[in-house]
Amino acid sequence: MNELGRLEDLPADYVAALRELNLVPLWPNLRAVMPAGTPRPRTQATHWSYEALRPLLLKAGTLTPIEKAERRVLVLANPGHGLDKMQASAAMYLGMQLLLPGEWAPSHRHTPNAVRMVVEGEGAWTTVDGERCEMKRGDLILTPTGLWHEHGHDGDEPVVWLDVLDLPLVYTLEASYHVNGTRQTVRPGRGDCAYARGGVVPTPVFGRSGRAYPMLRYPWTETRAALEALAADRPELDAVQVTYVNPETGGDAENILGFHALMLRPGQTLKLPARSPAMVFHLIEGSADVAVEAQRFVLAEADTCCAPGYSAVTLVNRSAGTPAFVFVADESPLHRKLGLYEDRG
Ligand SMILES: [Fe+2]
């Protein structure tokens, strides 16, 4: 490829004169911002062990009271972006959040979209837009952009969940802010009841729900049952996968990030194609190896890892007897909406 001129090739007084007028020559930087053939992601394949981080998260519970933290979170930061950037990929933020018995994380709303994947503990709840969502292992709870949400805990063990937000993107767009609120009044009607069965939706007097986010809690028991039913119905199917959708529209559950669940059959190797969006894998049940190009991670239960976009990923369930269940978050909705989505096979 044609070598382009470097900044050092230009007279220093010329560069200084440009900078004085807030001008920059493109050609010394052109290849860096638009490399040939494939992007050079800063996102690095990274693994976060739950066993390793859990004691540090619990220690945060003794070091920092909830009033001093508001949200007691350890951020799963990608070293490729620099830890201080607090991002897992270009568009995804990940955090492990701890709530202790009796604590309350006060009501607020913000422009970034969030979801919570419950990792451990019983008795916590999240109220979203007046809907009280109980939190059990593997449940996915949406707190989409602009909706009030708060967390409480009536149980007697620590509760931990994985937060997934599109914060890095919304922050880059200079559109990230929050508003504090007061304790919400819980209203009747729960999306996880109204939409508990696939194929039918509530239509009181022939009307459809006008809510942008009609379902806020996706119980793991239902998602797991859907995966098992799909695996039994389609024994030849390689990727036993479901996607969390808005049950009224069939579209993605949230606007920017996509959320999916995968079942790996006992002994299965699943090759995922190199696609443009970055991906995050969180192991709900079982054990799985995740190979991202040449790197390989062994995921134990509640472990999390990420893969940059444009990389091929292979998942292996080494157990010959039990399936593995994996929660996947990715940037697919964003890439599709922007027309950037690629599947390179
Ligand atoms: Fe929040």
Side-chain angles (χ1 to χ4, degrees):
M1 191 187 354
N2 193 20
E3 281 291 312
L4 300 181
R6 299 167 304 168
L7 199 61
E8 307 88 273
D9 301 335
L10 297 170
D13 61 336
Y14 174 71
V15 175
L18 291 177
R19 299 192 70 84
E20 187 64 27
L21 297 174
N22 295 322
L23 298 170
V24 173
L26 173 62
W27 58 96
N29 299 309
L30 181 59
R31 298 287 188 242
V33 294
M34 236 185 281
T38 199
R40 290 189 210 125
R42 277 195 296 271
T43 302
Q44 292 174 5
T46 307
H47 171 225
W48 295 272
S49 157
Y50 188 62
E51 191 185 12
L53 74 81
R54 187 178 185 275
L56 296 170
L57 182 58
L58 291 177
K59 189 160 187 180
T62 62
L63 293 173
T64 307
I66 191 76
E67 299 77 23
K68 290 287 179 193
E70 209 166 287
R71 284 349 189 222
R72 197 190 287 109
V73 177
L74 294 182
V75 178
L76 280 52
N78 193 301
H81 289 272
L83 299 184
D84 294 337
K85 288 276 170 35
M86 299 197 300
Q87 56 193 100
S89 72
M92 290 189 282
Y93 156 105
L94 302 172
M96 279 288 177
Q97 183 158 172
L98 169 70
L99 197 65
L100 294 172
E103 289 184 336
W104 178 57
S107 192
H108 70 185
R109 61 184 169 88
H110 38 70
T111 45
N113 295 272
V115 299
R116 293 107 218 345
M117 162 56 51
V118 183
V119 174
E120 70 164 284
E122 296 268 332
W125 45 266
T126 295
T127 301
V128 190
D129 195 25
E131 182 172 328
R132 187 176 156 117
C133 301
E134 63 176 321
M135 305 179 84
K136 291 180 183 298
R137 173 60 175 147
D139 289 354
L140 184 76
I141 293 160
L142 310 187
T143 55
T145 180
L147 296 195
W148 293 108
H149 55 280
E150 63 193 272
H151 314 290
H153 189 357
D154 303 327
D156 45 25
E157 296 288 326
V159 163
V160 177
W161 63 79
L162 175 68
D163 291 313
V164 186
L165 278 78
D166 48 30
L167 176 63
L169 175 75
V170 179
Y171 180 79
T172 298
L173 296 175
E174 300 184 338
S176 178
Y177 70 95
H178 84 282
V179 179
N180 285 326
T182 52
R183 197 176 273 260
Q184 296 172 70
T185 305
V186 175
R187 58 167 172 74
R190 284 174 42 170
D192 58 353
C193 296
Y195 297 94
R197 298 285 175 270
V200 290
V201 297
T203 52
V205 201
F206 305 97
R208 295 288 288 265
S209 168
R211 296 179 65 196
Y213 303 98
M215 190 166 171
L216 296 167
R217 173 176 179 257
Y218 295 73
W220 174 237
T221 49
E222 298 294 333
T223 308
R224 193 184 193 283
L227 287 166
E228 288 196 308
L230 181 59
D233 182 53
R234 301 279 305 278
E236 83 291 357
L237 195 64
D238 246 359
V240 182
Q241 178 177 3
V242 294
T243 291
Y244 294 90
V245 298
N246 176 329
E248 285 287 346
T249 65
D252 295 296
E254 287 189 349
N255 284 326
I256 294 175
L257 301 182
F259 307 101
H260 323 267
L262 270 172
M263 176 179 147
L264 300 172
R265 301 174 201 268
Q268 184 184 358
T269 295
L270 175 65
K271 287 182 188 301
L272 297 175
R275 302 179 312 132
S276 54
M279 287 187 283
V280 164
F281 301 94
H282 172 80
L283 189 71
I284 298 179
E285 278 182 54
S287 61
D289 293 0
V290 179
V292 182
E293 299 293 346
Q295 265 178 288
R296 186 172 147 271
F297 306 123
V298 178
L299 296 197
E301 279 185 17
D303 282 7
T304 305
C305 71
C306 78
Y310 299 88
S311 49
V313 175
T314 302
L315 303 166
V316 180
N317 178 5
R318 291 197 179 278
S319 167
T322 51
F325 294 93
V326 185
F327 170 66
V328 185
D330 78 347
E331 300 166 338
S332 293
L334 175 66
H335 281 224
R336 287 200 164 98
K337 284 180 173 119
L338 296 180
L340 300 173
Y341 188 86
E342 277 186 59
D343 180 335
R344 296 191 171 184

